Amino acid sequence: MNVQLPLPARVQAGPRPKVLRRGLRAGRGAGVAGVVLGLLLAGLAVPAEAATVYKAPLRTAARALPVAPEVNTGYDRDRYFGTWKDANRDCQNTRQEVLIQETRAALAFTSRGCTVSRGRWVTSWDNRVHTSASTVQIDHTVPVHEAWGSGARYWSQARRVAYYNDLSDPRTLSAQTSSLNSAKQARGPEAWMPPANRCAYIGQWVAVKIRWGLRVDAVEKAALVRFANSCPNVTISVNRA
């Protein structure tokens, strides 16, 4: 049985809200500010890692991504990244939160109100309209397998789980047509690109890599730079995780 519920206020308000927020501790923020101020007074460049918010044109951002070989040994998705969480304990896990945030129409839930069954989603990879939640999957823009090989293997378990369930930046997770998400699997832009909105996809990929401090391998970087060169040189703005 489906229960029709009115569109939540956070959907009516417009763009996806930042459901989960991870604030910096005051001590850390003060320390970073002190380092940045000292470097500026000394006339030195501020390293990218010292800034909480990163801003740069797309082509600059793509070229600035650090290069390292991708190492995927030991990858185990369930063991190291877990599953969808219900961080705010409202009975709706991360998948449901993304569906709620991205719907363009009123939602229908299951009888308990925990699982989205119907709404209206326009998937950005193909501009297709979906009204059944069963026809979309929640995609990690940078797949967790790719994240593991690009640096997440060295993270704490808590950070990997946070990455898997990142709702603070809408570029990390999105609802996409199930068949396209299955076709993408764990491949990066050097091996797979969506049929539509490719420049937006490249910008999202670069933003997620920057947000989470992930590396790129040489082939991946060459593809990102090549695509960025043919796209509008929009400004990438990222809050680092």
Side-chain angles (χ1 to χ4, degrees), residues 78-239:
D78 292 339
R79 177 180 179 184
Y80 293 115
F81 291 89
T83 58
W84 300 132
K85 301 298 182 184
D86 177 15
N88 58 3
R89 299 181 181 180
D90 63 353
C91 89
Q92 295 160 353
N93 65 19
T94 300
R95 171 182 164 83
Q96 311 311 318
E97 297 285 7
V98 174
L99 293 173
I100 291 168
Q101 292 167 10
E102 293 190 351
T103 189
R104 301 190 183 188
L107 294 165
F109 292 81
T110 58
S111 57
R112 292 184 58 222
C114 298
T115 303
V116 176
S117 59
R118 298 190 68 80
R120 186 175 185 272
W121 301 274
V122 181
T123 45
S124 62
W125 292 353
D126 53 6
N127 297 322
R128 181 178 171 184
V129 176
H130 303 261
T131 56
S132 173
S134 64
T135 64
V136 299
Q137 295 177 3
I138 305 305
D139 173 72
H140 286 84
T141 300
V142 175
V144 289
H145 188 275
E146 163 77 22
W148 172 265
S150 303
R153 66 198 304 266
Y154 302 110
W155 294 351
S156 68
Q157 181 72 2
R159 183 169 174 81
R160 287 191 290 262
V161 171
Y163 175 83
Y164 193 88
N165 291 272
D166 183 15
L167 289 167
S168 293
D169 189 319
R171 292 167 292 196
T172 305
L173 296 169
S174 63
Q176 300 295 344
T177 301
S178 295
S179 59
L180 284 178
N181 193 43
S182 297
K184 174 190 174 185
Q185 297 184 341
R187 291 183 287 178
E190 74 281 6
W192 185 90
M193 286 287 285
N197 302 314
R198 292 185 168 190
C199 286
Y201 182 70
I202 290 297
Q204 292 160 7
W205 184 281
V206 171
V208 173
K209 286 270 177 161
I210 292 170
R211 172 168 167 76
W212 288 94
L214 295 168
R215 307 306 197 237
V216 294
D217 62 35
V219 176
E220 176 190 353
K221 183 166 186 175
L224 291 172
V225 169
R226 183 175 69 255
F227 283 117
N229 284 342
S230 63
C231 290
N233 200 23
V234 297
T235 297
I236 298 291
S237 181
V238 184
N239 290 316

